Amino acid sequence: MPTDQNNGHGDTVVAVKNLTKKFPDPMTGEEFVVLDSISLSVKKGNFASIVGPSGCGKSTLLNIIAGIETHDPSDGGTLDVYSHSDAAEPRVGYVFQNARLLNWLTVEDNMIFALESQGISKDLWKERVDKYLDMVGLEGQQKNYPLNLSGGMQQRVAIARALAIEPDILLMDEPFSHLDEITARKMRFDLMQILMDAKPTILFITHDLGEAVFLADNIYMMSTKPARIFKQIDVDVPRPRKPEDPEIFDLEKELVREFFSVLDAQLLEDG
Ligand SMILES: Nc1ncnc2c1ncn2[C@@H]1O[C@H](COP(=O)(O)OP(=O)(O)OP(=O)(O)O)[C@@H](O)[C@H]1O
Ligand SMILES: [Mg+2]
């Protein structure tokens, strides 16, 4: 886990500079570059999004930031995550595509498991569980078990569990991609409300351009093979937003155009 105290880093929470990551090819064993000199930063209270095609390296980058995947400094680049609380190490929350709940524990105990493993004082557990279950619209579900909940409700528990540790950075890896579109749409609206109320700092990965524009303050556009950030776009549209707002819609069209020009150029290069 990359760590640092917040000594003079202002409102920066995540700083990735020229980060390169290589993996060995499973067939030949030869190393190939997955992430090529990636730079991005996430500021406190901001919602940053990375959009890129399937397989480009988005999860790899998020896993490196979370400390789940290694980064060999000799490949190049640096990564810093800064703590903005009294905690010595920055707190990192993670929401995956699947809820990944412990099915033999109640909703409340799933959350307590995370709170305890983050070393959060027992005095705060009940308050945190109740507060964040309310925030995701699951008040009263404390004693229920995950398998009695729909996929969307399970994902809400996963979000409540991640928010409850009050992370310096909340990493979200395509958290709505396994939900049906109607449920996903509702979840995006609810997440926007959470952004307005609690102002968490989020780095959110998606391949859904409309979702990125609807939710994010800053969008990093990633190409593939190897992954490079080829453009950054700021979304200066006040919340609450609607997907059909003309500004949102125009930005989505701009992203589509940008992606196709870059990916078409890559296809031509590849012959
Ligand atoms: N541990 C590993 N060893 C070797 N190659 C890997 C490893 N993990 C991922 N890769 C490769 O790195 C590339 C990027 O994978 P990654 O899962 O980060 O992409 P992604 O953008 O998250 O894709 P998706 O949108 O499908 O989730 C892929 O080519 C993948 O096969
Ligand atoms: Mg992925």
Side-chain angles (χ1 to χ4, degrees):
M1 162 83 59
T3 64
D4 205 330
Q5 291 284 352
N6 181 28
N7 288 328
H9 296 286
D11 57 357
T12 300
V13 181
V14 176
V16 178
K17 288 195 191 110
N18 302 320
L19 187 130
T20 294
K21 167 76 181 171
K22 295 176 186 166
F23 274 132
D25 185 298
M27 306 303 282
T28 65
E30 264 181 56
E31 290 207 309
F32 69 99
V33 176
V34 184
L35 304 173
D36 186 9
S37 199
I38 301 290
S39 296
L40 61 85
S41 71
V42 188
K43 308 259 180 240
K44 190 167 163 42
N46 261 37
F47 187 115
S49 182
I50 302 171
V51 284
S54 189
C56 72
K58 302 181 298 295
S59 297
T60 301
L61 178 60
L62 221 58
N63 289 339
I64 292 173
I65 295 171
I68 300 170
E69 180 62 77
T70 56
H71 172 245
D72 181 349
S74 71
D75 287 344
T78 59
L79 160 68
D80 292 292
V81 183
Y82 299 110
S83 170
H84 284 260
S85 70
D86 297 339
E89 295 211 348
R91 287 212 166 91
V92 180
Y94 210 137
V95 177
F96 301 88
Q97 285 179 346
N98 294 311
R100 300 196 187 188
L101 303 175
L102 303 171
N103 290 332
W104 59 95
L105 295 180
T106 61
V107 164
E108 175 178 63
D109 286 344
N110 267 279
M111 294 178 69
I112 286 174
F113 189 84
L115 290 165
E116 188 169 19
S117 50
Q118 288 283 329
I120 288 163
S121 161
K122 198 173 179 177
D123 305 345
L124 296 171
W125 291 355
K126 188 178 173 347
E127 180 191 315
R128 294 274 185 103
V129 168
D130 294 351
K131 174 177 173 184
Y132 289 100
L133 280 180
D134 270 13
M135 198 176 281
V136 299
L138 286 183
E139 51 282 335
Q141 296 292 334
Q142 280 82 342
K143 304 288 179 205
N144 210 343
Y145 283 87
L147 293 180
N148 296 334
L149 304 174
S150 69
M153 289 164 87
Q154 290 185 24
Q155 197 61 327
R156 284 174 192 277
V157 176
I159 294 171
R161 176 179 61 181
L163 286 170
I165 65 167
E166 301 195 342
D168 290 292
I169 180 77
L170 174 55
L171 305 172
M172 303 183 92
D173 189 352
E174 306 197 35
F176 308 141
S177 62
H178 282 185
L179 302 174
D180 64 89
E181 183 48 30
I182 295 166
T183 306
R185 193 179 159 97
K186 172 94 177 76
M187 300 278 285
R188 287 183 206 116
F189 273 101
D190 291 351
L191 181 57
M192 184 175 62
Q193 193 61 48
I194 291 171
L195 301 180
M196 294 193 297
D197 295 342
K199 301 203 170 27
T201 310
I202 296 182
L203 181 55
F204 184 103
I205 279 177
T206 182
H207 52 243
D208 182 328
L209 305 181
E211 179 174 76
V213 177
F214 176 64
L215 286 169
D217 296 306
N218 321 101
I219 299 177
Y220 293 94
M221 301 175 72
M222 200 178 241
S223 62
T224 185
K225 291 185 178 149
R228 297 193 180 111
I229 304 283
F230 65 89
K231 185 153 184 148
Q232 194 209 322
I233 288 185
D234 296 333
V235 187
D236 293 320
V237 180
R239 300 184 181 95
R241 298 173 180 170
K242 291 195 196 119
E244 56 276 11
D245 280 345
E247 287 163 286
I248 295 284
F249 200 56
D250 286 348
L251 269 173
E252 186 181 339
K253 281 195 289 189
E254 189 184 330
L255 257 68
V256 172
R257 270 197 305 274
E258 293 280 354
F259 261 111
F260 278 101
S261 66
V262 167
L263 296 181
D264 283 350
Q266 270 191 333
L267 281 176
L268 284 175
E269 255 178 52
D270 292 347

